[in-house]
Amino acid sequence: MPGAVDTPSSSVNVASNYTRSLFSQAASFDLETFSSQDFIVKDFIDSLSESTVPPNRRSGPSIQPFDPRPLIRGFEHALKRLSDLSGVLETKETELSANVRRAEAQHASNAQSLGRKLDETIDSFRNLDSSLNGGRSEDNGFGGNAAVKIGEKLEELDRQRVRAQDAKFLIQCWLEVSEKGELYLLEDMRRQASGDSKVRCAQIARQLLKISQRLDPGSWNQTHGHLKIVSGLNGTNGANGNNENHVPRHNTREIVEKFSETLEKDLLTQFDEFYRRANFDGMRDCATVLQDFGGGASVIGMFVNQHQFFIDRSQLITEEVGSDVDTWERLADPDAETPGVEPTLQSLIDEVKVVVQEESAIIKRAFPYYETVLGRFLQRVFQQSIQQRLEMVLNKANTISTLAFLRSLQASRSYISALVDDLKAHGLTEHPDVLSSQTGLILDQQFDDLFVPYFVGSSYIEKEKRNLEELYSSLLFKFTVFHKSRRRKVPTTFLASLAKSGSEMLASAKDAYVERLDSSDLAPQQKAMLLRVAGLKDTDSAKRQMDMEFSEQDGLLSTINAKRMLKWLAEAVGRGLELSGGNETPKDVSALLDLLLTHMGELYIDTALDAANDAAAAQENTKNEPDLSYLENLQSAITIMHLMLICINTVLIPLAAANVTIRRDMEKTTNMAMNHMEDKVNVLMHRTLDVTLTWIGKLLATQKRTDFRPRDDVHGGGSSWLELLQTPASPSIAPTCENCANEDTQTCLSIFNFLTRVHTLALGALSTTSNLTTFLTELATGIRTLLLEHFKKFQVSAAGGILVTKDISKYLELLRSWELDPGFQPSLEVLTEIGNLFVIGPEALRERLRGKAGVQGGLWEKGDLRPYVVRREDVGSVGVQAILSTL
């Protein structure tokens, strides 16, 4: 390395072949020195220089003058040595160059020789190719077509020879069976161990049957066990002279068929022995021969029927369906997660997966027609093992509840579908390649056949509807009974007659549910679950519990229960998409929509809104403060309506997109139902407005005549009032005296407190929405109208004007705190103007009205203020009369 040149350990020791002495010696080196991989020129020069320096001068201070002569002598010796080595290298190079030239000449000679041989080979190939393609050969004068024709003739002669030998053997066998009643030749062939001999034996036996059918028709026309003699070879007389000698002496059909049966039994026995010894080649030979006997049905049947899997499973088929009680309860609980597929069915399917994959490899090695055998094996697996266990599981689930049946059906189908997918992915007999289309069709067909009985017609969707009806009826049982009992107590009125249809629907739904619960057809587990959903005890009958007293809470809408209903519906929709496919999906979701609108829309939301409307109607003529607590249930109704509409628009209607007619019908039905419920909400809010304004009118009617005409000594004497009246009016409410500042009339306080409660209930019912703004704006408009009419009825003194302004300020404070329409806010200033009319003096009033065409930007004309001015106590004064003359 360059960095190691200055270190002593990295220098090249070129003087290793001589021993150092007191005097310097010339360095010695040879060709080995320069051929080393570690040779470095710098180190070599340094070693030459070092060898010329005497040892006594290499250490100690350099005090002697430099002497170049040793270096000169050393380098001269080195140059001489290098010159000698250069000569040696040149000699070697000359020798090597000569050797290279000789090798190149030899290579060129070899290449020419090989090229000539290649050309000769190509020419020979072309001649042969031309000869085989019909050209004439230089040697024999004819081409390859003649050779091909000769070969074809030889092959044809060989086939004729084989056919003649087979015909000879067949005739010999026929003569044996017809004359001697034996088949010694075929028996000898059958006893041979080779598979080819057994195949030929089976073929000859089949041909003998055909010959027997033609030459011995009597053996094929037996009547009551007796042979019917037919003259002539073909059943005609005189065709071959005296043909009676040609009639076989024995029943050839029976003899050949017995031989065929014996051959088939031997082959089946041999196949079974090969199967037990895992001799797949022997099994394949037997299967090949047996294919001539009914297409191999016997060997396929034996292989499938005697398989150990079916033997073991046939002993376990009577095993009861497992799972503990808790698993079945969770399966029937609509609020619990599905526990999955039943354990015994899961174990069977897992075992089927392993067995089919293992047997596929055996079938492919043992049968030449392995796809047919695999198809029969799969049919037996699905139609016997899986189907029987599936029916047991579903029958058990059906005894638990309808929901348990549907969930078991879904879990089972999903797990079996995964089995089919795994078998297709494995490839079975084509593993690791892709599964053949024939086997794939068999798997799909067997899978579909398993579940066809459960999806015939509308049987599946009817079960889904019955399940949801049972759950919905159970969940709404207390709610339904509560409102029915309330309606029985309500006296018969015109409004009650309008709600008669809703009451009848409640009654029919309740009666149907009670009959369902008390029927003997309902499983005990399902009845317990439905009672638990309804919040009833499991000890008493439903009819007895129907007459129980229920709390007010039972009659309120519950968002939690609505979410549960929608969750159950979503589960049913998802299950339907997975199970029933896409053909009937639009019809199914349309049926589920009708069910949802009936129970959640009519029996739940409509019933609550009808009850609220009844409560609102009952408050219209009450003598006490109206009870508006029914508004507390309105927020839940609106929320549930919103949730239901979202569910319909995002879940149900999109699934009906494939059928435009059904989709339009669903949209129309939904819009009609929502409009119907929204109309009831609007009626309820209008009734609430009427009730509220009616009660405010009654409170205003309680205003005393003397409330706005207090005695002067009550508020500090008359001098202070005179000073106040002389003060010019400001745009705002006139200031009040210290004693009057904190006084409000009792009527004002009652209205303020009542409206505060109404606002709180409205805010809770409508939230901060446009509906709340509309309702409060309508209410504020009615209140403003009532107040304007109210202040026209009272004579107001100077001190009473202060109380009027105080009441108006209280009213405005309340109304301005509401969520009103911004465009309505300016109209409230009219009340401020009315208050000013009672507290300012005549001169200030004249100044306020002078030069103005109207009040509040033209909302009021000056003439509209006259009814308020005439209610002033000083209306008879000259100043006020002058003002009235201008209005």
Side-chain angles (χ1 to χ4, degrees):
M1 295 176 61
V5 172
D6 297 334
T7 61
S9 59
S10 64
S11 63
V12 178
N13 187 8
V14 299
S16 61
N17 296 328
Y18 64 89
T19 305
R20 293 181 182 275
S21 63
L22 182 62
F23 301 97
S24 61
Q25 297 179 359
S28 62
F29 49 84
D30 53 14
L31 292 176
E32 297 291 337
T33 303
F34 301 99
S35 62
S36 174
Q37 294 182 353
D38 298 331
F39 175 78
I40 302 175
V41 177
K42 184 178 179 180
D43 294 344
F44 176 71
I45 299 300
D46 291 342
S47 64
L48 292 178
S49 302
E50 184 180 0
S51 64
T52 59
V53 180
N56 55 0
R57 294 185 179 181
R58 295 175 186 171
S59 61
S62 179
I63 58 178
Q64 297 180 1
F66 174 72
D67 186 6
R69 288 175 294 179
L71 289 174
I72 294 172
R73 286 194 296 271
F75 282 117
E76 287 177 349
H77 180 272
L79 289 174
K80 182 179 180 180
R81 179 60 178 164
L82 289 173
S83 179
D84 295 340
L85 292 177
S86 178
V88 173
L89 285 176
E90 186 175 355
T91 302
K92 290 184 177 181
E93 183 180 0
T94 302
E95 293 176 355
L96 292 174
S97 297
N99 292 335
V100 169
R101 286 194 295 273
R102 288 192 294 271
E104 289 178 348
Q106 183 65 32
H107 173 71
S109 177
N110 293 338
Q112 291 178 358
S113 176
L114 293 175
R116 287 193 299 272
K117 291 181 179 180
L118 179 60
D119 293 337
E120 294 174 357
T121 303
I122 292 175
D123 292 339
S124 299
F125 175 78
R126 288 176 178 173
N127 292 333
L128 177 62
D129 182 63
S130 176
S131 175
L132 293 176
N133 289 332
R136 294 187 59 84
S137 174
E138 297 178 357
D139 297 333
N140 48 31
F142 59 88
N145 286 339
V148 172
K149 293 179 180 179
I150 292 174
E152 292 177 352
K153 291 181 180 179
L154 290 175
E155 291 178 356
E156 180 65 25
L157 291 174
D158 182 67
R159 286 194 294 268
Q160 292 178 0
R161 182 184 63 82
V162 173
R163 192 179 303 115
Q165 290 178 351
D166 292 341
K168 177 183 177 182
F169 186 79
L170 181 61
I171 293 172
Q172 291 175 348
C173 293
W174 171 252
L175 291 176
E176 278 188 344
V177 71
S178 62
E179 296 179 0
K180 300 178 182 179
E182 299 290 344
L183 289 172
Y184 296 114
L185 295 176
L186 285 181
E187 287 290 347
D188 294 339
M189 185 181 295
R190 182 177 65 84
R191 294 188 182 97
Q192 295 179 8
S194 64
D196 294 338
S197 62
K198 289 183 173 59
V199 171
R200 189 182 178 196
C201 189
Q203 293 173 351
I204 292 175
R206 188 171 64 253
Q207 292 174 353
L208 287 175
L209 284 175
K210 293 181 180 179
I211 295 174
S212 173
Q213 188 175 7
R214 183 174 179 81
L215 300 181
D216 187 16
S219 62
W220 295 78
N221 297 291
Q222 293 183 359
T223 304
H224 303 291
H226 298 286
L227 185 62
K228 181 179 180 181
I229 304 299
V230 181
S231 299
L233 182 62
N234 294 321
T236 59
N237 295 324
N240 293 313
N242 187 8
N243 291 308
E244 294 182 0
N245 296 328
H246 294 280
V247 177
R249 305 174 185 176
H250 304 278
N251 192 331
T252 56
R253 175 188 179 185
E254 182 179 354
I255 296 172
V256 177
E257 287 181 348
K258 286 183 179 180
F259 174 79
S260 299
E261 292 177 1
T262 303
L263 178 61
E264 185 177 9
K265 290 179 181 178
D266 292 345
L267 289 172
L268 291 174
T269 303
Q270 190 174 6
F271 180 87
D272 186 57
E273 293 176 356
F274 287 149
Y275 179 66
R276 297 180 188 279
R277 296 200 301 265
N279 185 351
F280 300 114
D281 294 335
M283 294 172 62
R284 192 177 187 87
D285 293 338
C286 293
T288 302
V289 178
L290 288 168
Q291 189 176 9
D292 292 330
F293 295 93
S298 58
V299 67
I300 296 175
M302 185 190 72
F303 176 79
V304 174
N305 296 333
Q306 295 184 5
H307 197 280
Q308 192 63 34
F309 171 77
F310 299 109
I311 296 175
D312 295 340
R313 280 292 167 181
S314 63
Q315 297 174 357
L316 300 176
I317 197 64
T318 57
E319 179 184 2
E320 292 295 332
V321 178
S323 299
D324 55 345
V325 178
D326 181 66
T327 301
W328 289 110
E329 288 183 354
R330 287 190 293 116
L331 197 64
D333 187 356
D335 297 318
E337 294 294 331
T338 304
V341 68
E342 197 273 333
T344 59
L345 179 60
Q346 180 180 2
S347 174
L348 171 63
I349 294 174
D350 294 340
E351 185 178 356
V352 165
K353 177 181 176 181
V354 176
V355 169
V356 171
Q357 291 178 357
E358 292 177 351
E359 290 302 316
S360 297
I362 297 176
I363 291 173
K364 185 173 184 180
R365 296 178 61 183
F367 292 91
Y369 39 93
Y370 53 85
E371 286 195 355
T372 304
V373 180
L374 180 61
R376 287 282 300 277
F377 187 78
L378 290 174
Q379 290 175 1
R380 180 71 180 276
V381 168
F382 277 86
Q383 295 177 6
Q384 179 175 320
S385 301
I386 297 180
Q387 184 174 0
Q388 290 179 358
R389 176 54 58 175
L390 176 64
E391 290 176 353
M392 294 177 64
V393 170
L394 295 181
N395 289 337
K396 172 68 175 178
N398 199 30
T399 61
I400 300 300
S401 70
T402 307
L403 179 60
F405 173 83
L406 293 172
R407 284 182 168 180
S408 297
L409 181 63
Q410 179 187 15
S412 302
R413 191 176 189 277
S414 176
Y415 206 76
I416 297 175
S417 176
L419 167 67
V420 173
D421 293 338
D422 291 341
L423 294 180
K424 289 182 178 180
H426 180 268
L428 300 181
T429 54
E430 308 300 329
H431 180 76
D433 296 332
V434 181
L435 185 72
S436 65
S437 58
Q438 179 181 349
T439 307
L441 290 175
I442 292 175
L443 285 172
D444 293 336
Q445 184 63 40
Q446 295 302 315
F447 175 73
D448 293 338
D449 291 344
L450 282 177
F451 297 96
V452 164
Y454 308 106
F455 299 100
V456 176
S458 60
S459 58
Y460 168 74
I461 194 61
E462 290 300 327
K463 277 188 173 293
E464 288 285 5
K465 289 173 59 179
R466 183 166 67 251
N467 170 58
L468 289 176
E469 287 175 353
E470 292 171 351
L471 294 177
Y472 287 173
S473 299
S474 297
L475 187 64
L476 303 181
F477 180 74
K478 286 187 175 181
F479 179 86
T480 304
V481 175
F482 174 85
H483 284 284
K484 179 173 176 54
S485 61
R486 282 296 181 89
R487 289 193 175 184
R488 283 201 303 261
K489 299 176 181 178
V490 174
T492 303
T493 61
F494 175 72
L495 295 176
S497 64
L498 294 178
K500 183 178 180 181
S501 60
S503 178
E504 291 176 352
M505 179 176 292
L506 280 176
S508 61
K510 175 187 65 64
D511 295 340
Y513 176 71
V514 170
E515 292 178 1
R516 174 67 174 162
L517 283 181
D518 290 338
S519 66
S520 59
D521 297 337
L522 194 65
Q525 295 90 337
Q526 185 175 6
K527 180 178 180 181
M529 180 57 64
L530 293 178
L531 291 175
R532 187 157 59 250
V533 171
L536 303 176
K537 297 180 180 180
D538 194 11
T539 55
D540 300 332
S541 67
K543 291 183 178 179
R544 289 196 298 269
Q545 297 190 59
M546 183 186 65
D547 298 330
M548 297 172 54
E549 291 294 332
F550 298 99
S551 63
E552 293 287 339
Q553 193 67 26
D554 295 328
L556 299 179
L557 294 175
S558 171
T559 307
I560 297 177
N561 287 342
K563 291 180 178 179
R564 290 174 69 187
M565 296 172 71
L566 295 177
K567 177 185 176 183
W568 298 340
L569 178 70
E571 179 183 347
V573 172
R575 185 166 48 240
L577 290 176
E578 181 180 348
L579 295 180
S580 62
N583 295 332
E584 300 296 328
T585 298
K587 293 182 180 179
D588 294 347
V589 295
S590 177
L592 294 179
L593 173 64
D594 294 339
L595 181 69
L596 179 66
L597 293 178
T598 299
H599 286 81
M600 181 176 285
E602 297 179 8
L603 296 180
Y604 200 41
I605 299 176
D606 276 359
T607 300
L609 293 178
D610 289 340
N613 274 303
D614 293 341
Q619 302 300 320
E620 290 180 349
N621 299 318
T622 182
K623 296 181 179 180
N624 300 321
E625 180 178 329
D627 182 9
L628 304 182
S629 59
Y630 57 84
L631 290 177
E632 297 176 355
N633 210 23
L634 183 60
Q635 175 61 36
S636 298
I638 296 175
T639 302
I640 295 172
M641 289 169 57
H642 182 65
L643 292 175
M644 183 176 67
L645 184 61
I646 291 177
C647 177
I648 293 173
N649 289 333
T650 59
V651 177
L652 297 180
I653 292 181
L655 294 177
N659 192 316
V660 179
T661 303
I662 294 179
R663 179 187 176 92
R664 289 176 178 174
D665 291 341
M666 292 175 63
E667 292 175 346
K668 181 179 179 180
T669 303
T670 302
N671 292 334
M672 291 178 60
M674 296 304 298
N675 291 336
H676 178 70
M677 288 182 283
E678 290 175 355
D679 290 343
K680 289 190 175 183
V681 173
N682 291 335
V683 170
L684 177 63
M685 299 312 298
H686 280 294
R687 282 181 172 173
T688 303
L689 282 173
D690 295 340
V691 170
T692 303
L693 294 177
T694 300
W695 183 247
I696 292 175
K698 291 181 179 180
L699 291 177
L700 290 175
T702 61
Q703 189 90 52
K704 297 179 180 179
R705 293 287 180 181
T706 59
D707 284 347
F708 300 131
R709 298 178 63 188
R711 298 191 304 272
D712 291 342
D713 56 357
V714 175
H715 299 290
S719 60
S720 61
W721 293 105
L722 293 175
E723 295 176 359
L724 181 63
L725 292 176
Q726 297 298 326
T727 304
S730 62
S732 60
I733 298 296
T736 61
C737 65
E738 181 179 359
N739 292 334
C740 297
N742 296 324
E743 291 185 6
D744 295 308
T745 62
Q746 184 63 36
T747 300
C748 176
L749 291 177
S750 298
I751 294 175
F752 184 89
N753 294 333
F754 174 69
L755 289 178
T756 301
R757 289 190 294 272
V758 171
H759 176 261
T760 302
L761 291 173
L763 184 62
L766 301 176
S767 299
T768 308
T769 60
S770 58
N771 293 329
L772 176 66
T773 301
T774 302
F775 173 76
L776 293 179
T777 302
E778 290 290 335
L779 180 60
T781 302
I783 295 172
R784 184 192 62 184
T785 302
L786 290 175
L787 292 177
L788 291 176
E789 293 296 325
H790 176 68
F791 289 116
K792 293 179 181 179
K793 303 175 182 178
F794 295 91
Q795 194 76 26
V796 182
S797 64
I802 303 299
L803 296 177
V804 170
T805 57
K806 185 60 179 177
D807 284 357
I808 292 177
S809 297
K810 193 73 171 179
Y811 295 138
L812 292 178
E813 175 188 354
L814 176 64
L815 295 179
R816 286 169 179 167
S817 65
W818 288 0
E819 295 79 2
L820 301 177
D821 187 351
F824 177 76
Q825 292 284 356
S827 65
L828 295 177
E829 298 301 325
V830 174
L831 296 175
T832 304
E833 292 294 336
I834 297 301
N836 288 333
L837 294 178
F838 295 109
V839 297
I840 59 179
E843 293 297 328
L845 181 60
R846 182 181 298 108
E847 291 293 331
R848 190 172 186 84
L849 298 179
R850 180 180 299 172
K852 294 183 180 181
V855 182
Q856 292 299 316
L859 294 178
W860 278 43
E861 297 293 336
K862 288 184 179 181
D864 295 332
L865 301 179
R866 182 180 181 86
Y868 303 99
V869 176
V870 298
R871 305 308 296 177
R872 289 170 59 104
E873 190 178 37
D874 57 349
V875 65
S877 63
V878 175
V880 176
Q881 288 295 322
I883 294 173
L884 289 176
S885 63
T886 62
L887 295 179

